Amino acid sequence: MLAIVGDDAVHRVEGLPGESAPVGLTLALGRLRTLGVTGLRVALPAPGHPLGLSGPPEFNARALEAEEAVVCHGVAFGLVPEVYEAGPEGDVHVEVVWHVLPVREAPPADVPSLGEAERELAEALREATEVLSRLDVAGSGPVAEAAIDAYRARAERGRSVLAPGYPARAVRVLELAQRVGVLISVASENGHGAAVTAGEIVARAEALRPVERVARRAQVAAYNAYVEERERGLR
């Protein structure tokens, strides 16, 4: 469980049927299981892109605000996190409250298969690399190199990016999507790179935007692969 939620925050779940107050994450997961939940799907929506959501509008709005959510499989519930921070710098206490809300039982929006995600990610990465290299704005220098080296070190320390039982392709897709996400972050944090004209800045942003979108789609496909395979009777 710590591999999923991290160990630097307290997690509570609010709004569980049968519970009048927030409960801890372990108890909440057990309760969801007794209610009939057989799996959890990740959603990573962004403005204009309700990735992984199925409605209703109230749930989608909360999930879009948080830019993430979990949708239950087997029972029409979804969970949206709300983060609270308190305390001085260097000693910040973080609490995450997961709100349980009703969802619509329908296929999640815009989630590709693993095969589709892998192909799209490779193609988008190639196209973006060509554009950014041509503009000389891909992000370079010691800051970019340090960020990429840090990513590689994290990847080597924790090769199990997904829980045991996931298909090998899901692990491969998630690792690539995460690496692409790091590269996009490096490029974004370096400002406009070497782009100096308005046209170059626009071209740079347009090159990064579809790659970021495809990378999020690939992450959702990878995280949800286990549930999708169980639903299709492959497990």
Side-chain angles (χ1 to χ4, degrees):
M1 185 181 300
L2 290 178
I4 300 173
V5 302
D7 58 0
D8 57 350
V10 175
H11 291 257
R12 305 287 183 192
V13 180
E14 182 177 73
L16 269 174
E19 299 290 344
S20 58
V23 300
L25 192 59
T26 301
L27 176 60
L29 292 174
R31 174 58 59 86
L32 288 171
R33 187 178 181 88
T34 63
L35 291 171
V37 174
T38 57
L40 300 171
R41 288 190 175 101
V42 172
L44 298 176
H49 189 205
L51 176 61
L53 302 178
S54 59
E58 294 80 4
F59 179 79
N60 286 6
R62 294 282 291 270
L64 280 165
E65 183 177 356
E67 296 187 344
E68 59 184 322
V70 173
V71 180
C72 299
H73 180 251
V75 178
F77 290 133
L79 292 83
V80 178
E82 188 171 3
V83 180
Y84 299 90
E85 295 183 350
E89 185 176 352
D91 188 27
V92 177
H93 170 76
V94 180
E95 181 174 6
V96 181
V97 177
W98 294 82
H99 300 278
V100 180
L101 302 166
V103 298
R104 181 180 299 141
E105 292 186 283
D110 201 34
V111 179
S113 68
L114 279 175
E116 291 170 337
E118 192 169 30
R119 290 191 298 272
E120 291 173 1
L121 193 56
E123 181 180 349
L125 184 57
R126 280 196 306 271
E127 293 177 353
T129 299
E130 291 174 1
V131 173
L132 294 176
S133 297
R134 186 168 66 249
L135 294 174
D136 190 27
V137 293
S140 60
V143 175
E145 291 300 323
I148 294 170
D149 288 344
Y151 166 79
R152 288 172 178 158
R154 289 198 306 272
E156 289 302 320
R157 285 199 304 268
R159 296 300 295 174
S160 299
V161 294
L162 291 171
Y166 271 83
R169 175 175 253 180
V171 176
R172 187 168 65 246
V173 167
L174 182 57
E175 287 179 333
L176 179 57
Q178 290 176 339
R179 184 173 189 277
V180 170
V182 170
L183 295 175
I184 292 171
S185 296
V186 170
S188 299
E189 290 168 4
N190 285 348
H192 298 305
V196 293
T197 69
E200 288 176 339
I201 293 172
V202 170
R204 182 179 191 274
E206 289 180 349
L208 291 175
R209 190 176 301 114
V211 182
E212 187 276 335
R213 183 186 182 103
V214 168
R216 280 190 298 108
R217 293 180 79 233
Q219 287 187 63
V220 171
Y223 284 127
N224 296 350
Y226 189 85
V227 174
E228 299 299 337
E229 287 201 353
R230 286 186 58 188
E231 187 176 358
R232 295 199 306 269
L234 299 179
R235 293 188 175 275

